[in-house]
Amino acid sequence: MPSSDQRALLRSLPQIEEVLSHDTVKALAERLPRERVVACAREAVDAVRTGILTGTVAAVDKDALMADVRLRALALERPSLRRVVNATGVIVHTNLGRSPLAPAAVEAVAQVAASYSTLEYDPATQARGSRHSHVEHLICQLTGAEAALAVNNNAAAVMMVLAEFAAEREAVVSRGQLVEIGGSFRVPDIMAQSHALMREVGTTNKTHVADYAAAITPNTAMVLKVHPSNFRVVGFTESVGVKELRALADAENARRREAAAGADFEELLVYEDQGSGAFLNLPCFGAYAEPTVAESLAAGCDLVSFSGDKLLGGPQAGIIAGSKHLIERLKKNPLARALRLDKMTLAALEATLRLYLDEERALREIPTLRMLAEPVEDVQQRAEAVACALVDAVPAEAARVSVVPEVARAGGGALPLCDIPTCAARVEFLRGSAQDCERYLVAGRDVPVVCRIKQDAILCDARTLLNEGEVAELAAAFAEYFQMVGA
Ligand SMILES: *Cc1c(COP(=O)(O)O)cnc(C)c1O
């Protein structure tokens, strides 16, 4: 039962018609259909009513209510999924959409999205075609694989490989590689989900060839190697390379062949979940450079899987590359249908892969590669341009702006120890504060500007700013903040 105070407050709530005739709300009718404005007014009034009943609202503030209606109406117009300016220096930023696409990929998406396409039509034979064909040949060219398949993401790829080849059979994996990648991708869980029987070997820091050898039985489906991605065990460590795992698998398969005496047998596979899946090793990777997809296949993996939107710099996808007879089996698995790519992603992936046919072009045009590879001198120039734009835009008594050397990250779980030298514009606050400004830059704007706070200053990393337009946007956002706190 509401108290008499609460009942009085409820009675003082404005009627919907009264809300709609308020100037603030009336102005919205020009931008939105009346029923949308009515719905926002109802929601806002309902929110206050709930507040009164739960005791969190002790007075009805009509101006605040009208402002709330306005915010709700504006939120209908503002896309939830929208562009942001990434000034964090984290290149493959998982929360910010990982890899921005190359212009050629964006163009390919636009073309295919707005019209009919050859998605499952082969113009050469005028017959039904396969959606897999658009990227398979390119992946094979670029990695040396016999065959390939692209699905929704790499988590899906791992799931599918395990379900097809290791369901109710054993997959041997090092304890040092039972990792959690983030977003609830945990190797033991994904194995359980695909009904693979996990056979852990070795210890957290060391796994030897003999550990794998001792674990292999006639029921072993695969040796699974998982890239540790976002973490490293350093010091007293040992892991086993693909070449050695290949030799173990070859010996086991020779035994199985002999035991089968001419009949079919399930071979022991070597499968690597590479995670980031670099096609090129860039100089900035330095000592942290890892085998490329082509190198892992050449070293003897039957299958390798990796993401499309990490170091590859394409759209979200999971790519599986390897032996033809295995990929053919995967294509027939019902999961291939459930996890298939849509035409827009396929268009973006095909265009991105095509850029890799010319390495120079890939480095120039794929934003992720360009940001990773850009010489620090060039980043410094951009940081200086950011600083100049800030100095122009912000009153001198409001902030102190400088250019500082910093460390950028590949991100996306790739190369966690690799320090990429970078440069940032540093904003020290003489008015307002870094925390307050950060809130405004992110929450207060149609295009959020995401920076980093360090020691009560905001760092705007120039490595991940995509173009001059973003430099100007960033400066304008700071100018607006200081205008606000200046008043
Ligand atoms: C990132 C990653 C995954 C998951 O890939 P998504 O494309 O994000 O689904 C799986 N395994 C490893 C080793 C990874 O690094």
Side-chain angles (χ1 to χ4, degrees), residues 208-373:
H208 308 278
V209 172
D211 296 324
Y212 286 98
I216 291 171
T217 72
N219 192 38
T220 307
M222 67 172 61
V223 175
L224 166 63
K225 195 170 160 63
V226 183
H227 192 282
S229 292
N230 46 10
F231 97 114
R232 287 293 178 278
V233 178
V234 296
F236 188 62
T237 65
E238 187 170 332
S239 64
V240 181
V242 172
K243 277 210 171 86
E244 294 153 289
L245 297 177
R246 178 76 263 157
L248 277 185
D250 285 346
E252 172 64 15
N253 287 334
R255 277 194 291 279
R256 288 183 189 184
R257 189 170 296 111
E258 203 177 291
D264 283 348
F265 65 98
E266 283 278 356
E267 62 193 308
L268 173 64
L269 304 180
V270 179
Y271 163 43
E272 180 172 8
D273 169 16
Q274 262 208 353
S276 302
F279 276 12
L280 312 173
N281 259 321
L282 304 177
C284 71
F285 299 172
Y288 303 103
E290 311 207 1
T292 59
V293 177
E295 283 164 355
S296 279
L297 286 169
C301 281
D302 292 295
L303 293 170
V304 174
S305 73
F306 52 97
S307 290
D309 54 354
K310 291 183 180 172
L311 294 184
L312 193 68
Q316 178 190 304
I319 299 166
I320 311 167
S323 301
K324 191 169 171 62
H325 68 290
L326 302 174
I327 297 289
E328 290 307 317
R329 271 180 64 179
L330 288 170
K331 284 181 185 169
K332 292 196 194 102
N333 188 303
L335 284 174
R337 173 65 175 80
L339 303 173
R340 76 181 186 186
L341 287 177
D342 79 302
K343 61 187 175 186
M344 291 183 278
T345 306
L346 272 169
L349 184 59
E350 180 185 352
T352 305
L353 292 168
R354 218 170 272 295
L355 290 173
Y356 273 98
L357 294 175
D358 175 351
E359 267 183 33
E360 304 268 303
R361 191 160 175 218
L363 284 168
R364 234 182 8 251
E365 294 185 24
I366 297 175
T368 296
L369 291 186
R370 190 181 63 225
M371 287 186 273
L372 283 165

